[in-house]
Amino acid sequence: FPVIGAGAAAMPELLTAAGAATFILLVARIGGLVLIAPIFAAKAVPMKLRTALLVIFSLVLLPVARAHAEVAPVLTPLTMLSETIIGFGLGLGSAIVIAGASAAGDMMSVQMGLAGASVLDPMTNIQVPVMGQFMTAFATLLLFASGGHLVMLSGLGDSLDVLPIGSVPDLGAGLLAMSKLGGQVLMFGVMFSAPVMAATMLTNVALAILTRAAPQLQIITVAFPLQIMAGLFTMAAALSLISVWFTGWATYHDGMLQRILGPMLASVR
């Protein structure tokens, strides 16, 4: 039981003022990650489970955080805010991919004529098009199947070396870098949905030409089913291509962390 052993080893650290401050700041950093990371931030995950994971991760990483801290951390509102923003940035890379997959599903629904078919998304507790929920679940499954959760935890551990607990980075530059990544959601949405959008567009063009060439055929009566069939078949073929992209997700995640944490490292104090 290595987790129990690590937690027991961290207990003496909590009895000191510096250890208690480090633990609280570490909870803030991991809390920022849990706040936005896929699955961990889902509404379907009970709050008690999220709290338990937060405490366990904090106890396990406490000795690592203490080892990398150059000076004893000071518990202030500024350091609490800094740690939360750092954790938020650590989970933003994976959240952008999942949000992009959801946007792709919404675009597919509009192109296929299924935008009115909405269901309750258990992850967000809001009504979303059925294709959006499918793409969200599919991307989340691929993310965890490719070890995405381990990549996020590895990034969390590496951040304790790059940004020691209690340090105050350039929060303005970090928040600006995060805001600039909003366009990545649209990029992923278009990238994942491009095959379906192209297939439905070509289907509509072909049906329009056929309607003009032979208006007596009443193509409009079968246009809607054909549009859905073309979209579904294309999506089924494109899922394998999306799966191939997720095999290199770790490299993308590392690049995303560099874009977020790099500006914050400019003035660490």
Side-chain angles (χ1 to χ4, degrees), residues 93-250:
S94 55
I96 285 178
V97 176
I98 301 301
S102 178
D106 295 344
M107 295 177 187
M108 293 179 190
S109 298
V110 172
Q111 294 296 319
M112 295 166 58
L114 296 176
S118 299
V119 294
L120 181 65
D121 186 359
M123 294 188 181
T124 58
N125 278 351
I126 60 175
Q127 292 286 337
V128 296
V130 63
M131 294 302 301
Q133 182 181 0
F134 171 78
M135 288 300 297
T136 300
F138 181 70
T140 304
L141 177 62
L142 289 178
L143 187 67
F144 278 79
S146 60
H149 57 300
L150 300 178
V151 173
M152 286 187 287
L153 293 178
S154 177
L156 175 62
D158 293 339
S159 71
L160 298 176
D161 182 23
V162 179
L163 289 170
I165 289 293
S167 59
V168 180
D170 190 345
L171 298 181
L175 292 174
L176 180 61
M178 293 181 198
S179 63
K180 290 181 179 179
L181 295 177
Q184 296 283 324
V185 176
L186 181 60
M187 184 201 74
F188 282 118
V190 174
M191 182 176 68
F192 292 154
S193 63
V196 174
M197 295 173 65
T200 53
M201 182 183 68
L202 292 176
T203 301
N204 289 331
V205 171
L207 291 175
I209 295 174
L210 189 58
T211 300
R212 294 288 293 177
Q216 67 275 14
L217 294 180
Q218 297 296 323
I219 300 298
I220 192 64
T221 57
V222 296
F224 187 65
L226 287 177
Q227 185 176 349
I228 295 177
M229 289 177 58
L232 290 178
F233 278 117
T234 306
M235 185 194 69
L239 290 180
S240 59
L241 300 178
I242 297 176
S243 302
V244 171
W245 182 88
F246 270 90
T247 57
W249 180 83

Side-chain angles (χ1 to χ4, degrees), residues 83 217 254:
E83 295 300 331
L217 294 180
D254 292 341

Side-chain angles (χ1 to χ4, degrees), residues 2-4 6-7 10 23 26 54-65:
V3 174
I4 297 178
F23 178 78
L26 186 58
L54 190 61
V55 173
I56 292 174
F57 290 156
S58 300
L59 289 175
V60 171
L61 293 176
L62 180 58
V64 180

